[in-house]
Amino acid sequence: MKKKMMEILVCPIDKHFPLEIFEAKTKDDLVIEGALFCVDCSRFYPILEEIPILLPDELRDKKLDINFLKNNQDKLPEKILKQGSPWHL
């Protein structure tokens, strides 16, 4: 995901702008892996292979989210690990 996209991305649940970004793996101006976080509804959205996965809860892949959290727990803040998902670690 190009960092410039942060200028247009909003939370799909409550339309909050701007979202916070946490970068786990980057290259130049690309976020290869990381997370977006909405401070209003306390949800996180993973960035995987440069793609932000901005889906509402009912369309999210629980297994994918849990694996993402486990694989990045040393790179993500506590607010994402403990409250940013409908299913916590």
Side-chain angles (χ1 to χ4, degrees):
M1 179 188 100
K2 290 188 178 188
K3 292 179 186 180
K4 188 154 179 75
M5 284 185 65
M6 290 301 296
E7 297 173 8
I8 61 168
L9 293 178
V10 299
C11 176
I13 303 300
D14 59 23
K15 310 303 183 225
H16 177 79
F17 173 86
L19 299 173
E20 291 182 11
I21 187 168
F22 298 94
E23 303 168 11
K25 186 177 178 184
T26 63
K27 182 178 180 182
D28 301 322
D29 72 334
L30 290 176
V31 178
I32 297 167
E33 195 165 288
L36 300 169
F37 183 76
C38 177
V39 296
D40 276 4
C41 68
S42 297
R43 283 178 176 80
F44 93 95
Y45 303 97
I47 302 168
L48 302 169
E49 298 178 12
E50 301 177 23
I51 300 170
I53 312 297
L54 292 160
L55 294 173
D57 296 345
E58 63 272 9
L59 298 177
R60 293 177 75 153
D61 182 334
K62 179 179 180 178
K63 188 176 180 179
L64 180 81
D65 278 359
I66 290 173
N67 285 336
F68 172 81
L69 292 171
K70 286 181 181 177
N71 292 337
N72 292 286
Q73 60 188 345
D74 60 330
K75 299 171 191 151
L76 297 172
E78 191 74 16
K79 65 183 175 182
I80 288 179
L81 297 172
K82 297 297 179 192
Q83 70 185 38
S85 172
W87 31 83
H88 310 295
L89 285 183

